[in-house]
Amino acid sequence: MKTFDWFPDIDGQQEIRPSVNVTKFGDGYEHRAAVGINTQKRNWTLTFNRSREEVKEIEQFLREHNAVSAFTWRTPLGDSGRYVCRSWKVTSKKGMLSLSCTFEQVFEY
């Protein structure tokens, strides 16, 4: 498994949405239960403002994995995990290129 070694810009954002089943009853009462064993999947919205060459390297890495093969990545918080990137966007900004994407944590063997 390959490792994504580029560090994102400072404005990265993590989102955790716990996987929970909710059953609501008529009197306002609700019952909540975790779904599965990996209930807190992390998603990271990231930006890489880099030179043309480096953005091309990052994009090539993402193309090689094609949202099918997971890769290892260490988050800005220092946690390591397996992620996929399902889409990304490249824009031109003041002579530099910017690649924005979302890394979605996956759980697999």
Side-chain angles (χ1 to χ4, degrees):
M1 178 172 300
K2 290 188 177 181
T3 300
F4 186 89
D5 288 323
W6 295 271
F7 198 80
D9 293 355
I10 295 173
D11 58 351
Q13 184 177 31
Q14 176 184 234
E15 177 185 14
I16 299 174
R17 184 173 298 170
S19 183
V20 177
N21 227 355
V22 179
T23 304
K24 295 186 178 195
F25 298 92
D27 60 355
Y29 175 82
E30 69 178 33
H31 175 74
R32 295 167 303 284
V35 176
I37 58 172
N38 297 306
T39 62
Q40 295 186 11
K41 184 173 93 169
R42 294 178 163 104
N43 292 334
W44 280 88
T45 303
L46 306 168
T47 303
F48 300 87
N49 293 306
R50 303 288 195 277
S51 66
R52 179 182 311 276
E53 294 77 24
E54 197 167 0
V55 166
K56 286 174 91 172
E57 290 174 15
I58 294 170
E59 186 175 29
Q60 180 61 34
F61 182 93
L62 298 176
R63 283 178 181 268
E64 286 175 8
H65 287 78
N66 198 33
V68 174
S69 301
F71 52 86
T72 302
W73 179 62
R74 184 174 301 279
T75 73
L77 296 174
D79 303 321
S80 186
R82 294 178 179 183
Y83 290 83
V84 295
C85 181
R86 299 186 197 281
S87 67
W88 57 91
K89 185 187 307 184
V90 177
T91 56
S92 179
K93 292 170 110 175
K94 300 179 185 176
M96 298 287 284
L97 289 180
S98 179
L99 185 142
S100 56
C101 58
T102 299
F103 284 4
E104 299 178 31
Q105 188 175 26
V106 293
F107 303 98
E108 58 190 21
Y109 298 101

